[in-house]
Amino acid sequence: MTSEAARPSEAGTLPDLAALAKVVARQRAELDRLQEKTATSVVLERARGALMARTGCSLATAHEELQRRAEEARRTLLEECWITLGDLAPSGRTAVRPPHADDAADRPPSPAPPGTEPDGEALARFARALVRVGGPQDLARCLLDHLPPDTGAEAVMIFTRLPAGGLELVGHAGVDDVLVEQWRRVPPLSGIAALDALDSGEARWLENTSADRWRYQLIGEPAERWPTRAWLPVTNGGRSADVAIGVLRRRTEPFTPAVRRHLLAAARLCAGPLRMFGIRQDPAIDAEAEAVRTVFDRLPGASVLLTPLRSPSGDVEDFRVDAATADTSDAVGRRGRELLGMRFLECWPGTAGEPLWQGCLDTLASGQPYESEPFARQHVVAGGGELSTYSARVARLGDGLVLNWIRHDPSDRQEQRLADVQRLGNLGWASWHLVTDEVNWSSQAFAVLGRDPARGAVPLAQLPSLALPADMPAVARAVTDLVLEGRPCDVPFRSPAHDGTRHLRLVAETVPDDRGTPVEVHGFVQDITAQRSAELALVASERAILTQQGVLQTERTMAARLQDALLPLPKEPVHLSGLRVDIAYLPAQSGLNVGGDWFSAIELPDGDALFVVGDVAGHGVDAVAAMALLRFTAKGMVITGSSLTGALARLNALLLHSRDPQGTATMVLARYDPRERRLVWAQAGHPPPLLVRDGEARYLDRPFGMLLGAADTARYQESECLLEPGDRLVLYTDGLVERPSECIDDGLERLARAAVLPGAAGSVPLGRLLGALLEPEQRDDVCVLDIRVPGEDERPA
């Protein structure tokens, strides 16, 4: 930069304005430099003096100690001075460590990982700027101006804790005036992030708006205005934090480690200025305001003096409490003068949008007093909540309002409770004086009886006329017995209504005089239409259930008899073609319908034995009919010379063309030749037979075969097996192996294990086998053919 000497102005000409401006700028810059130097010296002297007072060291030692701390912590001397002033604590004296002592407790913290350390140059500039800060408001602006751009800060708010436990906004920057007025005072409520940071002594990083709004009440509307926020506690004098600094950002990404370290370091620097110039300054109170407050102190009841707080557009946003009686308490239990200076909606947030709030606005605008309807209000008494009934009155006083609450006495509350009981119970009380003919009904009695109050109450003698003609005699008889004999009545009756018929109930008793003569009747009438409708619906439902149960039981009985007739169960083992056959049929233990399981075990004309086990899908009469059709047709086909596969193919076609085309069935057909001990078998979608030989159990390999009734192109194959003496063959239906929510392979494996005696070559008897496999609540029918080949030492049957 170059400069030129100013040319002297000629006589009678104006001075060079540009040259004068340069001179003024240089002088102003020099003045600012001198002021900053002086302020810096003041901060340095205060820090050295504070260290000398706390440790008892000399001035030179205090200066060396500050320099040593600054070098070890990689801070400037001015930063260290601010931190020293902010860390003052009323503790006893401690010795200053020599500059080169090797005390581990005073060692600086380990250097932060690269990329996470705070911006040292930015902190140094902020420390130099702090020397010109004159109050919390200047501090907020200075902090916002000196935060690096990568922090993304848009606004700063500084709150201090009040003696009563709430918060007061003492400094702000980047926040509009409306928001400042809304958050100037914060009551000690839960869900305030700044209070949470002060109570815990730890910073609160709000980085997820959707989650944070459920935990905290976020400043600003909408809450997404500042998606991320930080609330940093500032300690003062080594005690618990009493100042919270909020940094509000438009950025949505979380705070990086470097930004967090920088904000914490900047907050620590703010502790020194806050301690030097103080935090809170109470406004001066003039004598007139104090006199008004003194008057309110001595007034009985709950009353407050409110001053409107208006927005820049002139609308009333809230009211300030300028005076309050000693009996006045807010939602959190603050009383009397503790409420002074606070906002009305801070003390009673539940009134927002209520008629009382609108009444205050109307009275302020029109000057006409307002009196509310009775309402319930919760207030704190001896640390606990108490609900009472109040009404409020509002009157205008100058430019403000006087609001007082009137607590209703117990009789008023009792009347309100009686009205609530009548409304909730859908009943109304009534009284008839038999001597004076005076009749009194509650408003709810008119509603229950569907009578216009303008027509008046009905005398007791005319009360039966309100019932339907069919119920008039019963009501008249009850009223007569009540009046003449003093007998209490409880009579139901029906009454016509515009929406149909109402079911009502009259309950009444008499009040006699000293001679026992009835002189007054007290009672109530109740609308029991809903109850009666429910009872009638229940009766109709029970009748329908009983009818359905009868139909099902009849169907079950008929199907069971039909099944017994078509499928007789032998009581003793059957001997066929040299084999012993044990047969078991166990119906399901639950349900009203019988199943379609069946068996056949017969000896054919040529001496062979035919064994059939099948299962028709479904239950009831249709299943029994399909079972009978398949059982007799299968036996007839095989007896007349049809092969097993041919019989299955024809049975499939027969089931497809039956009256129930959706019906299906499974089946096993087995033919045994006793001369060669050869078993030829075929199956249609049925589980394979189980062969037990020499103490081992295995399932026969299934030949191909589709479910009966599934397709018209079904094909079937045969398979054969040579049986040996002592062999056991088990044919069964799926009810023996299937269980709910279990794979059928598990059931087959369970059957194979249960059929063999552990450590022996024999097999388990059929009764014991069934007892081990079946559940107490059997869900399906079970049919089993237990076929045994005699051993070498046994005589064939």
Side-chain angles (χ1 to χ4, degrees):
M1 177 181 290
T2 60
S3 60
E4 298 179 356
R7 298 178 180 176
S9 58
E10 299 178 358
T13 62
L14 294 176
D16 189 346
L17 297 181
L20 290 177
K22 291 181 180 180
V23 172
V24 172
R26 285 197 300 269
Q27 291 178 346
R28 180 172 299 170
E30 181 64 15
L31 180 61
D32 291 343
R33 187 185 66 82
L34 292 175
Q35 289 178 345
E36 181 176 348
K37 183 177 180 181
T38 301
T40 303
S41 299
V42 171
V43 173
L44 179 60
E45 291 299 327
R46 288 194 176 187
R48 288 187 298 193
L51 195 58
M52 291 170 60
R54 189 171 59 176
T55 62
C57 64
S58 63
L59 178 63
T61 304
H63 188 79
E64 292 176 0
E65 178 67 8
L66 290 173
Q67 286 184 327
R68 181 192 62 79
R69 293 181 180 179
E71 291 173 358
E72 289 182 350
R74 299 178 184 178
R75 291 191 287 258
T76 65
L77 180 60
L78 187 58
E79 290 177 73
E80 190 62 41
C81 291
W82 284 125
I83 292 175
T84 300
L85 291 173
D87 287 344
L88 290 179
S91 57
R93 294 188 175 187
T94 58
V96 177
R97 198 198 66 164
H100 303 289
D102 191 14
D103 187 357
D106 290 338
R107 289 177 184 172
S110 302
T116 64
E117 64 273 11
D119 189 344
E121 182 60 28
L123 289 175
R125 290 194 300 269
F126 180 49
R128 290 194 298 270
L130 288 177
V131 299
R132 297 187 181 182
V133 170
Q137 187 64 29
D138 293 340
L139 177 62
R141 297 193 188 97
C142 181
L143 176 59
L144 183 60
D145 293 339
H146 288 82
L147 286 176
D150 60 342
T151 60
E154 185 182 272
V156 169
M157 302 180 76
I158 301 177
F159 281 102
T160 180
R161 193 195 299 266
L162 293 173
L167 296 177
E168 181 179 9
L169 182 64
V170 295
H172 58 86
V175 183
D176 57 79
D177 294 338
V178 175
L179 195 61
V180 169
E181 286 298 323
Q182 292 175 349
W183 289 87
R184 185 170 297 279
R185 282 186 178 242
V186 180
L189 303 176
S190 59
I192 305 299
L195 271 175
D196 191 12
L198 291 179
D199 293 337
S200 64
E202 298 178 356
R204 290 291 178 258
W205 309 96
L206 279 60
E207 299 169 323
N208 187 339
T209 304
S210 59
D212 294 333
R213 73 195 323 160
W214 290 102
R215 183 179 180 186
Y216 298 115
Q217 184 174 355
L218 302 181
I219 296 177
E221 289 295 336
E224 290 77 10
R225 176 180 178 183
W226 292 302
T228 53
R229 309 142 184 261
W231 288 99
L232 315 170
V234 180
T235 59
N236 191 358
R239 298 161 292 180
S240 60
D242 52 12
V243 176
I245 297 178
V247 179
L248 292 77
R249 311 192 310 169
R250 278 195 183 275
R251 296 188 179 182
T252 57
E253 65 272 17
F255 294 86
T256 63
V259 171
R260 290 194 179 197
R261 282 177 171 265
H262 188 92
L263 293 178
L264 291 172
R268 190 177 182 188
L269 288 179
C270 294
L274 290 171
R275 182 175 179 83
M276 287 178 60
F277 51 64
I279 299 175
R280 188 180 178 199
Q281 298 178 355
D282 293 325
I285 302 175
D286 56 26
E288 182 178 353
E290 181 60 29
V292 172
R293 294 179 178 181
T294 302
V295 171
F296 269 75
D297 290 340
R298 288 161 174 75
L299 288 176
S303 301
V304 291
L305 177 63
L306 303 176
T307 298
L309 301 177
R310 301 182 182 273
S311 65
S313 61
D315 298 331
V316 177
E317 293 183 336
D318 207 337
F319 294 90
R320 185 181 65 245
V321 180
D322 285 342
T325 60
D327 293 336
T328 305
S329 63
D330 67 352
V332 295
R334 291 170 296 199
R335 309 181 68 86
R337 293 215 171 198
E338 294 178 351
L339 306 174
L340 301 185
M342 303 191 69
R343 299 163 70 95
F344 181 73
L345 293 181
E346 292 175 359
C347 301
W348 299 278
T351 58
E354 295 294 327
L356 176 58
W357 175 259
Q358 187 60 43
C360 292
L361 298 180
D362 294 342
T363 300
L364 185 65
S366 64
Q368 297 296 323
Y370 167 78
E371 184 169 355
S372 72
E373 296 292 332
F375 60 90
R377 175 187 164 195
Q378 184 89 11
H379 62 283
V380 179
V381 177
E386 181 177 299
L387 189 66
S388 300
T389 303
Y390 291 84
S391 61
R393 294 177 180 174
V394 183
R396 184 168 175 175
L397 180 62
D399 294 333
L401 298 175
V402 175
L403 167 62
N404 65 304
W405 290 272
I406 303 170
R407 185 175 181 179
H408 292 190
D409 59 19
S411 61
D412 294 334
R413 285 187 290 172
Q414 189 70 21
E415 184 177 349
Q416 181 63 39
R417 290 171 183 170
L418 178 59
D420 293 339
V421 168
Q422 293 183 83
R423 176 177 52 82
L424 296 175
N426 204 6
L427 55 85
W429 62 264
S431 65
W432 293 269
H433 201 286
L434 303 180
V435 177
T436 63
D437 293 333
E438 181 182 358
V439 182
N440 290 314
W441 283 8
S442 67
S443 58
Q444 191 67 21
F446 285 96
V448 170
L449 291 169
R451 185 174 177 83
D452 186 0
R455 299 175 58 188
V458 176
L460 186 60
Q462 300 178 14
L463 190 62
S465 64
L466 299 180
L468 291 178
D471 295 341
M472 284 184 183
V475 179
R477 188 164 48 252
V479 172
T480 301
D481 294 342
L482 176 69
V483 175
L484 298 181
E485 301 180 12
R487 184 184 305 169
C489 72
D490 186 346
V491 55
F493 65 96
R494 292 166 296 172
S495 177
H498 66 280
D499 54 352
T501 301
R502 292 187 182 183
H503 292 267
L504 306 178
R505 175 192 178 199
L506 173 64
V507 179
E509 64 180 4
T510 60
V511 178
D513 58 11
D514 54 358
R515 294 187 298 274
T517 303
V519 295
E520 196 168 358
V521 173
H522 295 165
F524 66 85
V525 59
Q526 184 178 19
D527 189 342
I528 56 173
T529 303
Q531 176 184 346
R532 186 58 178 163
S533 300
E535 292 174 352
L536 294 176
L538 180 60
V539 170
S541 177
E542 291 176 347
R543 289 177 179 174
I545 292 174
L546 292 175
T547 302
Q548 184 65 22
Q549 286 179 343
V551 172
L552 294 176
Q553 187 62 41
T554 301
E555 180 182 346
R556 176 179 173 82
T557 302
M558 181 180 66
R561 291 179 178 177
L562 179 61
Q563 188 181 49
D564 291 340
L566 297 176
L567 190 67
L569 184 66
K571 298 181 180 180
E572 299 292 337
V574 178
H575 299 278
L576 302 173
S577 304
L579 302 175
R580 169 177 169 163
V581 183
D582 289 309
I583 302 173
Y585 180 83
L586 301 175
Q589 298 298 317
S590 60
L592 294 177
N593 292 322
V594 295
D597 292 18
W598 89 93
F599 66 91
S600 284
I602 61 174
E603 188 170 320
L604 299 176
D606 59 359
D608 291 356
L610 176 66
F611 302 106
V612 185
V613 172
D615 184 4
V616 175
H619 296 82
V621 176
D622 292 339
V624 174
M627 176 268 290
L629 176 66
L630 295 177
R631 181 171 185 263
F632 292 112
T633 304
K635 290 193 299 183
M637 288 181 179
V638 176
I639 290 175
T640 57
S642 176
S643 64
L644 301 183
T645 55
L648 289 177
R650 292 179 177 88
L651 290 174
N652 179 68
L654 178 64
L655 198 59
L656 283 173
H657 294 86
S658 65
R659 64 186 181 88
D660 184 12
Q662 284 77 32
T664 58
T666 66
M667 183 184 297
V668 168
L669 286 174
R671 183 165 186 164
Y672 174 72
D673 182 358
R675 293 168 292 279
E676 300 181 1
R677 293 197 186 98
R678 182 184 304 276
L679 181 77
V680 180
W681 69 287
Q683 62 87 27
H686 202 85
L690 176 68
L691 176 63
V692 180
R693 175 179 294 172
D694 297 332
E696 295 184 358
R698 69 178 180 88
Y699 290 97
L700 301 182
D701 296 332
R702 293 175 65 194
F704 184 83
M706 296 182 62
L707 188 74
L708 296 178
D712 55 359
T713 59
R715 61 187 182 88
Y716 301 93
Q717 296 178 351
E718 291 182 350
S719 181
E720 66 178 37
C721 174
L722 293 178
L723 300 181
E724 298 178 2
D727 282 355
R728 178 186 186 185
L729 190 69
V730 181
L731 305 181
Y732 53 91
T733 57
D734 56 5
L736 186 64
V737 294
E738 285 187 345
R739 290 184 181 178
S741 69
E742 182 183 72
C743 178
I744 192 173
D745 293 339
D746 296 336
L748 294 174
E749 183 178 352
R750 182 170 52 251
L751 172 60
R753 288 196 308 268
V756 179
L757 285 172
S763 57
V764 177
L766 179 59
R768 181 178 171 186
L769 177 65
L770 295 176
L773 294 176
L774 298 181
E775 296 178 311
E777 289 295 330
Q778 180 184 329
R779 296 174 179 267
D780 197 3
D781 295 350
V782 173
C783 182
V784 180
L785 295 183
D786 188 8
I787 306 170
R788 296 178 183 265
V789 181
E792 296 289 350
D793 55 348
E794 297 182 45
R795 172 186 287 184

